[in-house]
Amino acid sequence: GAGVSQSPSNKVTEKGKDVELRCDPISGHTALYWYRQSLGQGLEFLIYFQGNSAPDKSGLPSDRFSAERTGGSVSTLTIQRTQQEDSAVYLCASSLSGAGQGRDQPQHFGDGTRLSIL
Amino acid sequence: GESVGLHLPTLSVQEGDNSIINCAYSNSASDYFIWYKQESGKGPQFIIDIRSNMDKRQGQRVTVLLNKTVKHLSLQIAATQPGDSAVYFCAEIGAGGTSYGKLTFGQGTILTVHP
């Protein structure tokens, strides 16, 4: 598609359940990023993919959070045993190239998944 | 730790006025900056970027100024329109020798444009 696509757009679930969030980056973009945005706050980095590998997972808040990327395209962010503090907007971004001389590339964002944990 | 922050959390202007949104950054190693606009319920939208070897860059109705001496970034919007009302974020890349495009965001400035 023309832009970054995320699904679902909204997710409400009960505490303790697992959730999967999906990101379809812009075609041809090798770099993919996940961020989290709490209400009225800036964006918090979670994880970076270059191709299918994740050189930097340092932003993942706990071991309940994991992410994968297959075929150098679609990525899934999984949160296990969700807690109320996980409620936030989860944003995905992609860029042409994330590494080396290509790192100075604008990141283009999807509209996010609004996750609410009851 | 290093951070990127904004001087003013809110800015209200009249339609047709020029707007200036400011951003201070603390890491002198930062070498690439981006301004994003975020409307309610949407993801951040790229506005304009600037590299550290420049001090000014112009786009359509927008200008970004970079002052490396005082580590200050600003976004100027000419002839502000009601559709410009949004939260504006500055973001920094490449701090501390990071080898990839990890963005560090400021907290955001709310711009409100009154008709």
Side-chain angles (χ1 to χ4, degrees):
Chain A
V4 177
S5 178
Q6 292 188 246
S7 62
S9 55
N10 288 281
K11 178 72 176 178
V12 180
T13 192
E14 294 179 346
K15 176 183 174 181
K17 299 287 189 182
D18 297 351
V19 295
E20 281 191 356
L21 312 179
R22 177 187 168 104
C23 173
D24 275 284
I26 293 172
S27 178
H29 281 195
T30 62
L32 186 147
Y33 306 80
W34 283 97
Y35 296 86
R36 179 168 71 173
Q37 185 174 31
S38 300
L39 186 64
Q41 299 295 311
L43 280 72
E44 171 192 12
F45 167 81
L46 297 178
I47 187 169
Y48 154 66
F49 285 93
Q50 182 63 39
N52 290 337
S53 65
D56 188 350
K57 307 178 182 179
S58 64
L60 294 177
S62 74
D63 58 8
R64 296 186 295 104
F65 288 72
S66 63
E68 64 176 13
R69 189 179 185 195
T70 56
S73 182
V74 172
S75 176
T76 302
L77 177 68
T78 301
I79 309 173
Q80 296 178 308
R81 305 181 302 281
T82 51
Q83 303 294 314
Q84 288 185 333
E85 61 263 27
D86 299 335
S87 295
V89 177
Y90 289 82
L91 288 155
C92 175
S94 70
S95 64
L96 272 173
S97 174
Q101 293 182 352
R103 67 182 177 81
D104 294 359
Q105 295 286 338
Q107 293 178 27
H108 298 275
F109 284 81
D111 286 337
T113 294
R114 284 149 192 80
L115 177 64
S116 299
I117 309 299
L118 303 178
Chain B
E2 305 294 355
S3 65
V4 178
L6 298 176
H7 290 303
L8 299 174
T10 62
L11 177 64
S12 293
V13 300
Q14 292 295 318
E15 181 178 3
D17 287 351
N18 296 332
S19 301
I20 300 176
I21 301 171
N22 296 300
C23 178
Y25 64 96
S26 57
N27 190 341
S28 58
S30 301
D31 57 5
Y32 179 56
F33 303 87
I34 306 176
W35 279 101
Y36 285 95
K37 170 188 180 184
Q38 187 174 28
E39 297 174 285
S40 181
K42 300 282 189 181
Q45 176 187 358
F46 172 85
I47 301 174
I48 193 167
D49 59 359
I50 188 168
R51 290 173 174 76
S52 60
N53 60 352
M54 305 170 68
D55 53 21
K56 180 178 180 180
R57 191 169 188 212
Q58 289 185 292
Q60 186 178 12
R61 282 201 307 119
V62 295
T63 300
V64 55
L65 299 177
L66 175 62
N67 186 330
K68 294 181 288 292
T69 301
V70 296
K71 290 182 283 189
H72 184 266
L73 192 70
S74 68
L75 176 70
Q76 300 179 359
I77 305 173
T80 316
Q81 302 167 0
D84 294 328
S85 295
V87 179
Y88 289 80
F89 293 95
C90 63
E92 161 224 349
I93 207 167
T98 305
S99 62
Y100 71 92
K102 175 180 176 179
L103 286 172
T104 300
F105 281 81
Q107 290 301 304
T109 291
I110 301 171
L111 175 64
T112 303
V113 182
H114 300 283

